[in-house]
Amino acid sequence: MSHWIAAPIILPAFVAPFIVLAARYHIGVQRVLSVAGVFALIAVACGLAVQASDGTITLYQMGDWAAPFGIVLVADRLSTTMVLLTAVLALFVLLYAIGSGWDNRGRHFHALFQFQLMGIMGAFLTGDLFNLFVFFEVLLIASYGLMIHAGGTARLKAGVQYVLFNLIGSTLFLFALGSIYAETGTLNMADLANRVTLFGAEGTVGIRVAAVLLLLVFAIKAAVVPLHFWLPSSYAEAPAPVAALFAIMTKVGAYAIIRVYTMIFPPDLDATAGLYQLWLMPAALLSLAIGMIGVLAAKKLDRLVAFSIIGSMGMVMISIALFTPAGISAALYYIVHSTLAGAALFLISDLVRTGRRDLNLTPQPAIAGNALTAALFFAGAIAMVGLPPLSGFLGKLLVLDASYDSNLMGWIWLVVLSASLVSIVGFARAGSVVFWKAHSVQTEEDAEAVQAPAALSYAAVGGLIALLLAHTVFAGPVHSYTTRIAAQLFDPMPYISMVVDTPGKLSKPTEGDH
Amino acid sequence: MELLVATAIGILTAGGLYLTLRLRTFPVILGISLLTYAVNVFLFASGGLTVGAPPILTDGVETYTDPLPQALVLTAIVISFGMTAVAVMIGLGAFLGSDDDHVDDQPEDDSDRSEGTT
């Protein structure tokens, strides 16, 4: 049995305490350890992704206990792709945090960062709903610390909202788990998928309630309207590198929806009939609309980016709510794109902040490195609103293409296209006010000398933009791979039999009978 | 028995929700604590209610209660304790910093919003 699947969780779990214990007062050592840890994580993630790319499903039984009783980690195409995406994003975010000095403005940034990675990796790899809850909590606990990193009253106030909203979400998650356990007697995803099919058309009330509760929980994580209220303030007030890392956290919700609702509650199940068409799709359309209107209405650059995250999650959810292989495939392409684009935009808004009094969308004297920052902003904005030639445009085309067979096609096209227009106006307004009008404003006499952001910050943002470019150039291979991921998701039998039928400690007959 | 447990969960949830909607830090944290108690009892009941039966397999015992919900409740209790402590500390920090214990955003001028960065 290969132990490598556990490595993405174990590695940060060892690096983080080591940073706290051994390198507490040495920011340089912390940085080296943290970056080395993330590099190792990328190497492991690459290995796992290559291993899973031919359709192999790898199972890891913790303590060798067999599936329904023991804890299992499962690596298939979807989870390894998400793990790789997280690791790569983490590298650039970390480089930015080091370059801009954000990691030195409060204590324990690097340790919390590693714990955050541990939680995210665990959520992607686990094959058990209760462990999904536990890893959600691990990533949330770390995110509470990161959210209020560097302090400040505004940040603490936003932190209170963020923590309380997530606590309510966790409570709801436990209610959902309780009702699922009461109905089926198991929380292992593969085992659940088997048992849910045993329910006839009658007696589905309990399991339907559980399915809806679970969808609500994941929708909170994914910031789907009307459960998005926690996002704008907390992402705008969080330190920029943290907000950029949080770009993957909304995708954890999307991942959980894809995983649970393709395997346990597939669209043709009686208990979940109408859940997607009737509830998820309108919510997704509303998210896209409200997110993009928020972009137009935002008065500050960081809030604008936060609303564009809600809009892009709406786009992902529209694609997921179609629940066809083509839809899921488009959603996965868009998830990778919007994670990179969202993270890049948060980092760029921080580049702007270093040279300005605040991020209000008002004309102010030009910032240091105006031209370069402006170029990066326009590249990021083009990607986010989905203009050609970047991957946002291709992702949007894929979503529109996937919606051809849906009977809501008219609505989807209407909302997607008009939301694009609105967001183009919003981003164009922000860009022109921040970067172009700056030239017409005289620098005040007593203005402090603006300091230019460090070269490493530019390198990190440039790296993310380069990844976006690669995502565009290699759209063909990437899309054919996401199609294969979707094909694997819509044929869950190998996954289920892998998890349920692999023998472990309990299933082996032993001499002394228990 | 079932009636008592169900009523307890209902009352705890109702009280928790009411307090959570008060929008001040202290009642909201109390409300969330009540909600977590409710969910713990709910989880405990999800394996079926059995009186006086052990959850551990031993020789000579015929009836068992389901051990898994108890393990789940243990994990949930640990997590909710930690989370409540974090919420209290962050709430206290926000209150001391701004002299205001509202959980929701108060209407304010955009100009004098304190930045609190760097």
Side-chain angles (χ1 to χ4, degrees):
Chain A
M1 187 161 58
S2 157
H3 293 275
W4 284 108
I5 311 179
I9 304 169
I10 304 288
L11 194 71
F14 275 101
V15 173
F18 192 73
I19 288 175
V20 175
L21 294 174
R24 211 173 165 159
Y25 304 105
H26 312 281
I27 188 73
V29 183
Q30 286 188 14
R31 286 172 175 174
V32 171
L33 279 173
S34 198
V35 172
V38 171
F39 267 116
L41 212 53
I42 291 179
V44 172
C46 280
L48 287 178
V50 170
Q51 192 185 20
S53 61
D54 59 351
T56 321
I57 294 162
T58 332
L59 176 76
Y60 187 77
Q61 297 169 328
M62 288 283 169
D64 200 26
W65 291 100
F69 310 104
I71 295 168
V72 290
L73 301 178
V74 190
D76 64 349
R77 283 185 183 138
L78 177 61
S79 30
T80 52
T81 309
M82 298 302 286
V83 164
L84 184 60
L85 175 66
T86 311
V88 172
L89 177 75
L91 175 68
F92 289 105
V93 169
L94 196 57
L95 287 181
Y96 185 90
I98 293 172
S100 60
W102 264 112
D103 59 344
N104 210 9
R105 289 179 199 168
R107 270 181 287 172
H108 302 311
F109 178 87
H110 290 289
L112 288 169
F113 192 89
Q114 295 290 331
F115 276 129
Q116 172 93 68
L117 288 181
M118 173 194 166
I120 297 174
M121 299 295 185
F124 287 145
L125 286 171
T126 183
D128 185 292
L129 276 182
F130 193 75
N131 283 298
L132 189 64
F133 165 76
V134 172
F135 281 119
F136 266 20
E137 291 305 312
V138 171
L139 74 87
L140 285 175
I141 294 167
S143 78
Y144 300 154
L146 286 175
M147 163 84 214
I148 56 168
H149 176 77
T153 305
R155 193 163 291 147
L156 279 173
K157 287 210 71 140
V160 173
Q161 292 174 9
Y162 177 73
V163 173
L164 291 177
F165 213 108
N166 277 303
L167 277 178
I168 296 172
S170 303
T171 313
L172 207 56
F173 200 166
L174 282 175
F175 272 117
L177 291 180
S179 31
I180 287 181
Y181 188 78
E183 286 294 315
T184 62
T186 182
L187 285 173
N188 184 286
M189 291 195 217
D191 202 24
L192 259 177
N194 272 340
R195 297 206 191 178
V196 166
T197 52
L198 301 179
F199 284 89
E202 312 88 40
T204 56
V205 180
I207 201 73
R208 183 194 290 260
V209 168
V212 173
L213 274 177
L214 209 54
L215 187 65
L216 271 180
V217 176
F218 296 149
I220 290 178
K221 294 279 177 287
V224 175
V225 171
L227 303 164
H228 67 290
F229 292 106
W230 59 275
L231 193 140
S233 287
S234 40
Y235 277 36
E237 296 298 344
V242 174
L245 183 66
F246 282 6
I248 193 79
M249 299 239 298
T250 43
K251 275 69 181 183
V252 177
Y255 163 84
I257 290 181
I258 294 177
R259 171 69 76 207
V260 169
Y261 290 86
T262 51
M263 193 159 67
I264 306 175
F265 305 111
D268 50 355
L269 194 76
D270 285 326
T272 47
L275 193 55
Y276 313 106
Q277 286 270 317
L278 226 60
W279 297 106
L280 194 57
M281 184 59 93
L285 291 171
L286 262 181
S287 308
L288 182 57
I290 286 182
M292 291 316 177
I293 292 170
V295 165
L296 193 60
K299 289 181 184 162
K300 300 180 68 149
L301 193 58
D302 45 8
R303 229 155 244 270
L304 178 142
V305 180
F307 272 105
S308 75
I309 295 272
I310 295 179
S312 72
M313 277 320 290
M315 196 75 184
V316 170
M317 284 300 155
I318 288 173
S319 196
I320 292 177
L322 291 170
F323 257 97
T324 56
I328 298 287
S329 164
L332 291 169
Y333 184 85
Y334 205 85
I335 282 176
V336 176
H337 151 78
S338 74
T339 307
L340 297 173
L345 279 173
F346 272 119
L347 297 184
I348 292 165
S349 73
D350 193 57
L351 285 180
V352 174
R353 194 200 313 255
T354 47
R356 282 170 127 238
R357 266 203 317 280
D358 49 39
L359 282 173
N360 287 342
L361 291 177
T362 47
Q364 285 178 25
I367 58 172
N370 198 352
L372 187 53
T373 310
L376 289 171
F377 178 80
F378 283 118
I382 285 171
M384 186 48 106
V385 301
L387 281 179
L390 285 177
S391 49
F393 176 68
L394 297 174
K396 202 176 291 180
L397 273 187
L398 288 173
V399 175
L400 291 179
D401 191 44
S403 70
Y404 258 128
D405 299 330
S406 163
N407 46 9
L408 288 171
M409 180 195 146
W411 280 103
I412 296 172
W413 279 58
L414 178 74
V415 173
V416 168
L417 293 179
S418 44
S420 303
L421 180 68
V422 170
S423 68
I424 290 170
V425 175
F427 270 97
R429 183 192 60 127
S432 57
V433 167
V434 171
F435 297 108
W436 288 348
K437 282 213 180 134
H439 292 296
S440 60
V441 180
Q442 287 301 311
T443 314
E444 292 157 38
E445 290 294 313
D446 56 342
E448 313 153 35
V450 281
Q451 81 198 75
L456 189 57
S457 309
Y458 281 118
V461 180
L464 283 173
I465 300 283
L467 279 179
L468 272 177
L469 277 177
H471 194 51
T472 315
V473 173
F474 297 107
V478 171
H479 182 244
S480 73
Y481 190 61
T482 58
T483 311
R484 271 179 284 157
I485 297 177
Q488 195 178 35
L489 286 172
F490 277 87
D491 175 29
M493 271 332 282
Y495 183 109
I496 295 172
S497 62
M498 181 78 193
V499 174
V500 177
D501 297 338
T502 308
K505 216 182 252 174
L506 258 192
S507 39
K508 281 178 201 152
T510 49
E511 302 88 83
D513 279 333
H514 291 288
Chain B
M1 179 75 178
E2 277 81 3
L3 183 72
L4 273 179
V5 172
T7 317
I9 296 173
I11 291 173
L12 280 172
T13 312
L17 276 180
Y18 173 74
L19 285 174
T20 307
L21 296 175
R22 295 296 300 273
L23 294 180
R24 294 267 183 148
T25 325
F26 185 65
V28 169
I29 289 173
L30 273 190
I32 286 182
S33 306
L34 283 187
L35 279 178
T36 52
Y37 291 142
V39 80
N40 287 342
V41 180
F42 181 77
L43 273 183
F44 201 76
S46 70
L49 293 169
T50 324
V51 182
I56 301 168
L57 299 176
T58 22
D59 293 332
V61 180
E62 291 302 315
T63 49
Y64 298 104
T65 182
D66 191 346
L68 198 86
Q70 309 200 2
L72 301 188
V73 169
L74 262 180
T75 318
I77 287 174
V78 172
I79 290 175
S80 68
F81 268 12
M83 292 294 91
T84 311
V86 170
V88 168
M89 288 316 292
I90 297 179
L92 191 63
F95 171 63
L96 293 178
S98 64
D99 236 4
D100 174 24
D101 66 345
H102 278 276
V103 172
D104 52 336
D105 284 329
Q106 297 300 300
E108 57 184 336
D109 293 336
D110 291 64
S111 52
D112 63 11
R113 210 175 93 190
S114 54
E115 259 307 333
T117 53
T118 59

